[in-house]
Amino acid sequence: MPRPIAVALLLAAAAPVPAPPAPAAAPTAAIDADGYRALRAIDLRLATIAHRLVTANARLCDRQQPAPGVVLHAIDQYDPDTRAVVRQVFGFVRPVSVEAVVPGGAADRAGLVADDGVVSINRRPMPAPRTGPKAGDATSATRDAAAAILAAAPTGPSPWVIDRAGATRTLTIDAPAGCRAAFEVLLGPAMAASSDGATVQIGVRFFERYTDEQVAAVVAHELAHTVLRHRARLEAAGVKWGLLSEFGRNGRLFRRTESEADLLGAGLMRNAGYDPAAAVAFWRDHGGDVDGGLFRSRTHPSSRARADAIAAEIATMPADRTVFYRPPLIATRDQPLN
């Protein structure tokens, strides 16, 4: 049974992308205590990058939610055979607990720390793990229900009741608005990144190979799909996924959305304080790692074409990085794809 990865609850669900099938996750039986500690560090890296992108670009997103800078997880998302090790590493004084806290985020400033159990958010109690014949099976249902409660909370000050080593206390977390999207680290050997319209998934291999700024280029690209509602607009256009996706009108529309996500992603990076030129360098230097070179899908432009297009887009942005940039593509997100 694979381990459903913890969600970076900086936000939650959103819109779009033509996403490839997710590769199978690594069996949790192969993960020991040190492995879970390493996964916590990677989850935090993704959460920190995502938090920076979604809060800096919140005004570009017409769908928002609180962004406290927290990674939550639930004990029943882990395979039963691994839960003893999981409790050793993460504590789990409550079924829903804090896996990690983004440094400098609202939750960090309020005093929330890793391994705090979560009792309630904005006076809504956390979900309980399911009971009955399937109670012992691994499921993401509890974690996802906790994510929905957080997504429904207001931005600004909100009370969180937490359990720290058996003692409950209330923290007031003044969460800013962020773009509505959830982020997950995806286990497995593939260099995969995708968005299904609700969750951005970034393969664990990216964190093993690349710097945070390079990973930010990939995260920003996937977030751009969400901001531009590409998935919903492609579905409305009646495109075909699978083997037919690379041909004719299908291929043209998929390539268009990929190119748009490259361009908007550079703008999202810029607003978040990343150097958007890092995206140009990433595609020039490492594009073959991701797109498969000669065997790449024709739903995506070549790495060289992507790098050149992003460089041209950067040249149109204001030179003063302190000026917020509103990319022209934002105005197209309600338009049908033709």
Side-chain angles (χ1 to χ4, degrees):
M1 173 69 69
R3 172 224 182 199
I5 302 303
V7 178
L9 292 174
L10 316 157
L11 22 226
V17 250
T28 53
I31 302 177
D32 59 11
D34 287 340
Y36 279 120
R37 293 186 187 100
L39 282 172
R40 190 204 304 251
I42 292 171
D43 283 341
L44 179 56
R45 283 181 65 190
L46 174 58
T48 302
I49 292 165
H51 185 266
R52 186 168 164 179
L53 287 166
V54 299
T55 55
N57 290 288
R59 70 183 85 174
L60 298 180
C61 300
D62 56 353
R63 283 171 286 188
Q64 300 177 347
Q65 68 181 62
V70 178
V71 184
L72 297 184
H73 59 168
I75 184 61
D76 59 350
Q77 75 185 59
Y78 296 91
D79 188 277
D81 293 339
T82 70
R83 288 177 190 167
V85 175
V86 166
R87 290 185 184 279
Q88 174 190 338
V89 175
F90 300 121
F92 273 111
V93 294
R94 295 280 175 152
V96 177
S97 294
V98 176
E99 186 194 7
V101 178
V102 173
D108 183 36
R109 296 194 301 272
L112 195 72
V113 298
D115 298 342
D116 279 346
V118 184
V119 180
S120 65
I121 296 175
N122 197 40
R123 302 180 181 85
R124 292 184 61 186
M126 289 293 96
R130 65 186 177 185
T131 58
K134 296 185 177 181
D137 295 345
T139 175
S140 63
T142 306
R143 180 201 68 184
D144 294 345
I149 290 171
L150 176 55
T155 55
S158 183
W160 288 48
V161 178
I162 59 103
D163 182 340
R164 185 172 298 167
T168 59
R169 65 186 71 186
T170 300
L171 303 177
T172 299
I173 299 180
D174 189 3
C179 301
R180 180 170 287 197
F183 299 83
E184 294 180 353
V185 173
L186 185 67
L187 295 182
M191 294 294 293
S194 68
S195 167
D196 64 0
T199 301
V200 170
Q201 292 186 324
I202 307 296
V204 69
R205 300 302 181 212
F206 284 93
F207 298 91
E208 296 171 350
R209 295 187 180 190
Y210 305 125
T211 67
D212 284 358
E213 190 165 57
Q214 291 169 327
V215 173
V218 179
V219 177
H221 171 94
E222 299 302 338
L223 178 60
H225 279 304
T226 294
V227 174
L228 292 173
R229 301 180 185 167
H230 279 155
R231 181 87 184 192
R233 291 164 66 199
L234 284 166
E235 290 175 348
V239 301
K240 305 297 183 184
W241 273 264
L243 292 177
L244 296 177
S245 65
E246 300 195 18
F247 303 104
R249 177 174 177 270
N250 295 328
R252 288 195 300 274
L253 292 184
F254 278 124
R255 284 189 294 275
R256 171 180 165 181
T257 58
E258 290 300 324
S259 295
E260 288 182 354
D262 283 340
L263 302 184
L264 180 60
L268 300 181
M269 290 183 70
R270 177 196 178 279
N271 287 340
Y274 291 108
D275 183 358
V280 178
F282 177 82
W283 286 110
R284 285 182 177 162
D285 298 340
H286 305 291
D289 299 344
V290 181
D291 69 11
L294 292 175
F295 301 101
R296 70 179 176 85
S297 168
R298 296 307 187 259
T299 60
H300 292 60
S302 69
S303 296
R304 180 174 179 178
R306 298 176 85 159
D308 291 346
I310 295 169
E313 178 72 5
I314 292 171
T316 70
M317 299 177 185
D320 184 354
R321 294 280 184 86
T322 65
V323 175
F324 184 80
Y325 176 56
R326 187 175 182 84
L329 277 169
I330 291 295
T332 70
R333 67 177 161 210
D334 294 321
Q335 299 173 8
L337 291 168
N338 297 312

